[in-house]
Amino acid sequence: MTPLLAALPGGWQTLMVPLDVKSNPVMQGITWFATHFIGLFKAGAESFVDLSTGVIPLLLVLITFMNALTTWIGEKRVTRAVQWAGKYAVTRYTIMPMLAAIMLTNPMCYTFGRFLPERYKPAYYDATVSFLHPVTSIFPHANGAELFVWTGVSAGVMKVDGGAYARLAVLYFLVGLIVILMRGLVTQWITTFLIKRGGHTETFKKYDADYAAGRLESAEGAVA
């Protein structure tokens, strides 16, 4: 592009810039920006249509199915299963968060922590919040707001191996259970260490006694 000086009446001169896109880098930049600006919203609209016709109906069906399943089994039976899972460390940080996430979804799944003694609640929260992405591989309704994590991971793998979706979903789910077990045990150990170091041992013994006696919301008190 070559700017041109044009003579105006009265002896003035003005800079003339050609509007030819091919020869004008300024126009090329403006054209590029306009094209990609519109393209960004166009891609968003296409993604919205895909979600409206694919993921959203799937989520609605799954939520309806899980609500129906909970109703058929009975809320008390589900609650008892969760309470049983809370008795042992292995099940407390695997089965309990899994049932909570599938049955109650995010963020209501944290409320199952009320069935545990105070000293176990930090570890339960850590395990549950860590499972809210792996659970979406098989049960996307459990954390639909952050489903993009699983779809992003699976989209990359699908480009390499289009038939690996189901295998990847199961492995993602199982690895998530292993990770939350490790996190739960470590967080429980850290909680115990901090209770001792902070001189709160007697306080938590009182909490345990209140829990066992039903003065806090315990297994027996919650079901009754």
Side-chain angles (χ1 to χ4, degrees):
M1 180 205 63
T2 304
L4 300 176
L5 291 176
L8 297 177
W12 295 89
Q13 291 183 335
T14 184
L15 184 63
M16 304 294 292
V17 179
L19 297 178
D20 182 14
V21 175
K22 294 182 179 179
S23 60
N24 188 331
V26 176
M27 289 302 299
Q28 290 178 354
I30 294 173
T31 304
W32 179 89
F33 175 79
T35 302
H36 288 78
F37 184 76
I38 298 300
L40 176 65
F41 292 97
K42 183 180 179 181
E46 293 174 353
S47 178
F48 176 76
V49 172
D50 290 340
L51 290 174
S52 300
T53 58
V55 175
I56 292 178
L58 175 63
L59 293 177
L60 292 176
V61 171
L62 273 172
I63 291 173
T64 303
F65 171 75
M66 294 310 299
N67 288 336
L69 183 63
T70 304
T71 302
W72 292 334
I73 295 175
E75 186 176 350
K76 288 188 177 181
R77 290 191 179 92
V78 174
T79 303
R80 287 196 184 97
V82 173
Q83 291 166 352
W84 172 84
K87 292 181 179 178
Y88 311 100
V90 173
T91 54
R92 185 186 306 136
Y93 306 125
T94 52
I95 295 177
M96 190 174 180
M98 181 184 68
L99 291 176
I102 294 173
M103 294 295 180
L104 298 184
T105 72
N106 185 32
M108 287 297 292
C109 53
Y110 304 122
T111 61
F112 271 5
R114 70 184 186 275
F115 298 130
L116 295 173
E118 298 297 314
R119 62 177 70 248
Y120 298 143
K121 289 181 179 178
Y124 168 76
Y125 172 80
D126 190 10
T128 304
V129 75
S130 301
F131 192 60
L132 289 178
H133 286 309
V135 73
T136 56
S137 63
I138 299 180
F139 301 98
H141 72 289
N143 193 18
E146 298 187 26
L147 189 58
F148 63 90
V149 175
W150 162 245
T151 56
V153 172
S154 60
V157 175
M158 291 291 287
K159 288 186 178 180
V160 179
D161 185 355
Y165 184 88
R167 185 169 68 254
L168 176 66
V170 173
L171 291 175
Y172 193 50
F173 190 88
L174 294 178
V175 170
L177 288 176
I178 296 172
V179 170
I180 64 173
L181 173 61
M182 296 170 61
R183 291 182 63 106
L185 294 176
V186 171
T187 304
Q188 179 178 313
W189 179 83
I190 294 174
T191 304
T192 303
F193 172 76
L194 292 178
I195 289 173
K196 291 181 179 178
R197 193 179 72 171
H200 304 299
T201 302
E202 295 303 320
T203 302
F204 275 84
K205 284 183 178 179
K206 183 177 181 303
Y207 289 157
D208 292 341
D210 290 340
Y211 178 85
R215 289 190 288 272
L216 295 179
E217 189 166 16
S218 63
E220 292 76 12
V223 176

